[in-house]
Amino acid sequence: MSQFPLHVKEPQSKLEKLQLRFAEDAVRWRAVQVRDREADGAFFYSVKSTGVFCRPSCPARQARRENVAFHTTAVEAEAAGFRACLRCRPLASVDLDPSARKMIELSGYIRAHAGETLSLQRLAAIADLSPYHLHRSFKAILGVTPKQFQSALRLERLKSRLRTDDSVAGAIFDSGFGSTSRVYELVDGRLGMTPSSYRAGGAGETIHYAFRRTAFGLLMMAATDRGVCAVRFGDHEAALIQELEAEYPRAALTPVPAAAEPLLEAWIAALDAHLSEGGPRPDLPLDLRGTAFQIRVWEFLLKIREGEVVSYAELAAGIDAPKAVRAAASACAANRIAVLVPCHRVLRGDGTLGGYRWGMERKRALIEAERRRSRGVADSGSGSE
């Protein structure tokens, strides 16, 4: 792990400054609403109803917010299955190397044939590459292997079918899975619940949450029966509740005083002791929910020791996807579990802080506190008897 000095200078390049300025979805949506040309290049947005992705300044008719998703790069938007808008031409100023373009085209083929059996040899023949080079290139560009990409597509199709099909088994087989057991192997962390529960709109899944004042501000912890699914910092309880509802719209969210839920009380107290009193970082069960790539990033973050930091490039290399630096940064931004999944330990390549969804000052304070504790442990261990 690298030991970067903790600088407080701002990012130097124009693109870095723009990406930091437009790091939050609310700010991005406002830029789209006013067609802000200054935001062009900092991010792209896709429209589910039309299947295209655009620059923020696109002159096309305004899309509905529920149909809009944001992407850090054009590669991410294309990998998600969206095509470039013909009006604003978002690819006009994007430099995509030939290997990246080929992998994007192959991802489109996998999307179109997700229900079929796609061997690595078949895909390699289509791409005119050896299976080894195809596997390595696809993972480097998209952050996941072709098999993981196809599995994620099948799960998305399964989610859609479960909302409409009368039969859970029928939805499973129609989505390209050869058996129900294969689905249940992939459920944890991706579908987030069993297929029958998802089809019922998440009925039966309960998430308890509680609040606590810590040295780093107001903290909310939420947990399912599998473990902690969210740890958030904020200024107001109402705003944190709204964010939790937006992320888990189908679950039964149950506010409880921490004392009324002994296990939750123990977990949030342990985290508060770590934050406010310098106690050890608690090792709590986590309910991670995300894409295959996001979970790989989060699992790597869990391996970074307290007092140490890595760059986004080192993070991408650490999960064997050295070209997926921006995607790795996006996975950090999508992390719902503050501190316990330590995305604050990732800095820019020049040692500057980068972004943090719970505030730059909080990120700086977390890193400085961990370094003080780390130095204290080292000093106590090197003292003479």
Side-chain angles (χ1 to χ4, degrees):
M1 303 295 179
S2 296
Q3 291 289 340
F4 289 107
L6 186 58
H7 299 306
V8 296
K9 63 181 179 179
E10 292 298 316
Q12 296 301 305
S13 73
K14 181 179 178 181
L15 179 59
E16 286 179 329
K17 292 179 180 179
L18 278 177
Q19 289 177 334
L20 182 59
R21 176 181 170 188
F22 295 99
E24 300 294 332
D25 283 356
V27 179
R28 290 175 171 181
W29 175 237
R30 178 59 181 165
V32 171
Q33 287 180 305
V34 301
R35 296 180 171 86
D36 187 353
R37 291 185 178 277
E38 290 187 14
D40 286 351
F43 70 93
F44 300 85
Y45 75 94
S46 59
V47 183
K48 181 171 60 176
S49 56
T50 62
V52 303
F53 73 95
C54 308
R55 304 172 188 247
S57 65
C58 183
R61 186 175 67 178
Q62 193 85 87
R64 296 172 64 89
R65 178 63 183 91
E66 59 266 27
N67 291 330
V68 170
F70 298 109
H71 311 272
T72 303
T73 65
V75 170
E76 291 179 15
E78 288 196 308
F82 296 95
R83 64 185 185 278
C85 173
L86 295 178
R87 295 196 64 180
C88 67
R89 300 177 61 83
L91 292 177
S93 61
V94 177
D95 181 18
L96 289 178
D97 61 59
S99 62
R101 172 61 63 189
K102 181 177 287 190
M103 292 304 102
I104 293 298
E105 292 173 351
L106 187 62
S107 73
Y109 179 87
I110 297 174
R111 182 178 297 276
H113 300 82
E116 303 175 17
T117 299
L118 299 177
S119 67
L120 193 60
Q121 288 72 20
R122 175 179 170 182
L123 295 175
I126 293 171
D128 194 24
L129 294 170
S130 70
Y132 169 78
H133 283 96
L134 166 66
H135 189 275
R136 186 177 66 176
S137 297
F138 196 94
K139 188 173 182 181
I141 299 300
L142 297 180
V144 293
T145 66
K147 183 177 181 180
Q148 290 171 329
F149 186 77
Q150 184 182 15
S151 294
L153 292 174
R154 286 178 171 178
L155 279 172
E156 288 303 314
R157 181 180 296 181
L158 174 60
K159 291 180 181 181
S160 178
R161 296 291 177 88
L162 286 170
R163 299 187 188 103
T164 57
D165 285 15
D166 293 331
S167 166
V168 171
I172 290 173
F173 286 100
D174 287 345
S175 300
F177 292 99
S179 67
T180 56
S181 62
R182 178 59 181 150
V183 176
Y184 282 84
E185 290 174 4
L186 297 173
V187 161
D188 189 28
R190 296 185 178 95
L191 186 58
M193 55 192 76
T194 65
S196 58
S197 177
Y198 190 92
R199 181 173 178 270
E205 177 163 84
T206 300
I207 296 178
H208 293 92
Y209 64 88
F211 295 94
R212 199 177 186 99
R213 292 283 176 182
T214 74
F216 290 85
L218 178 65
L219 179 140
M220 166 195 274
M221 178 180 287
T224 67
D225 58 359
R226 292 183 292 275
V228 176
C229 64
V231 173
R232 291 177 165 278
F233 292 104
D235 298 321
H236 306 287
E237 292 187 4
L240 290 172
I241 293 172
Q242 287 180 352
E243 292 175 3
L244 191 66
E245 290 173 341
E247 289 186 354
Y248 301 98
R250 298 179 181 87
L253 303 182
T254 305
V256 294
E261 187 70 26
L263 194 56
L264 187 60
E265 160 67 7
W267 290 351
I268 199 169
L271 182 55
D272 183 24
H274 169 66
L275 293 171
S276 301
E277 303 170 15
R281 176 182 171 277
D283 184 14
L284 305 181
L286 303 178
D287 184 0
L288 298 177
R289 303 187 183 196
T291 65
F293 180 82
Q294 287 174 334
I295 290 177
R296 286 171 56 207
V297 169
W298 299 337
E299 289 176 342
F300 182 87
L301 295 176
L302 293 170
K303 300 175 183 177
I304 304 174
R305 294 193 294 268
E306 184 174 76
E308 296 183 343
V309 292
V310 300
S311 69
Y312 289 107
E314 288 176 320
L315 170 58
I319 59 171
D320 298 322
K323 294 186 179 181
V325 177
R326 295 191 185 279
S330 295
C332 289
N335 174 34
R336 303 178 182 91
I337 306 178
V339 183
L340 296 179
V341 177
C343 58
H344 61 276
R345 295 175 186 167
V346 187
L347 308 180
R348 295 182 183 276
D350 61 0
T352 56
L353 289 176
Y356 192 55
R357 70 185 299 178
W358 294 289
M360 299 289 282
E361 289 303 319
R362 187 173 280 118
K363 179 175 184 176
R364 180 183 293 106
L366 283 167
I367 295 175
E368 290 175 346
E370 290 184 352
R371 285 179 166 173
R372 286 195 299 270
R373 286 195 294 269
S374 179
R375 287 195 298 267
V377 171
D379 292 344
S380 65
S382 60
S384 58
E385 295 184 1

